[in-house]
Amino acid sequence: MAHFRKMTGEQGELPEWLLRAIEYIDLQIARDFDELKKNKKDYDKTMSIGDMQWFYLHTRSEYMNVPLHSSAKEAVDFYWTQAEKYWTQATLYGKAATALFCFRNGNKAMADRILDSLRETAIKSDELGMYWAGNTAGYFWNERPVSVHTSIIEAFSEISGNRSELDEMKIWLLKQKQTQSWDSPVSAIDAIY
């Protein structure tokens, strides 16, 4: 919905169902954090963030104007700190998500550092454009190469806006469609966005 609103330029009030959905994910991240505290003794001394928490932070950063549910504040603060501390160990998706929510929350220096790291690990070729060798398919939603690649494109687009880099990344995306199709309806929607 955030992507749709950006594409259409919609500025109005958020629908009630979307506000309830945002509240729901706030409550879920709070439950997630409570479970972490119960089940992992040294949760605050080790990397305790994964793609689900990165996905939450990424999604929530799209709705900065919606107040955070009070029960989620401790969890969001914890996962925010975890994301900034452990981004170098994150998946490609986690790095893109961290860059985006750092940028959206005013930490452009950290966002730029993450993009620099992504640039350093990218492969560039005339045939395939700019892509990441580690972006391979897995079983879970967060392991869909097209969706991961589009998250990286979103980060580069919003943070740096470098048209030549974006065009190179789009080459890889189009080659995927040309040679093997986009791997899911969600990936297709991400690619179109």
Side-chain angles (χ1 to χ4, degrees), residues 25-134:
I25 65 171
D26 285 352
L27 295 172
Q28 285 302 113
I29 202 69
R31 284 187 202 108
D32 175 76
F33 185 56
D34 288 342
E35 286 297 312
L36 176 68
K37 291 189 292 188
K38 275 192 256 180
N39 297 319
K40 189 173 180 183
K41 185 178 179 178
D42 59 349
Y43 73 93
D44 56 342
K45 294 175 181 64
T46 60
M47 183 175 171
S48 299
I49 186 171
D51 279 331
M52 287 305 292
Q53 292 81 24
W54 266 299
F55 186 62
Y56 167 81
L57 292 171
H58 179 195
T59 302
R60 202 58 175 83
S61 73
E62 295 280 3
Y63 300 101
M64 302 289 289
N65 59 333
V66 176
L68 185 65
H69 193 279
S70 60
S71 67
K73 179 153 181 27
E74 183 185 8
V76 170
D77 289 345
F78 173 76
Y79 288 125
W80 174 270
T81 302
Q82 285 271 304
E84 288 187 332
K85 183 175 182 179
Y86 294 108
W87 71 265
T88 58
Q89 298 171 46
T91 61
L92 287 169
Y93 173 75
K95 289 175 183 176
T98 302
L100 278 167
F101 60 77
C102 282
F103 180 74
R104 291 171 180 167
N105 283 285
N107 191 348
K108 184 161 178 8
M110 172 73 81
D112 287 339
R113 196 167 23 173
I114 295 168
L115 290 192
D116 288 343
S117 173
L118 286 168
R119 277 185 195 98
E120 290 171 8
T121 58
I123 297 171
K124 292 183 180 181
S125 78
D126 290 338
E127 183 183 348
L128 296 175
M130 184 173 172
Y131 64 99
W132 287 264

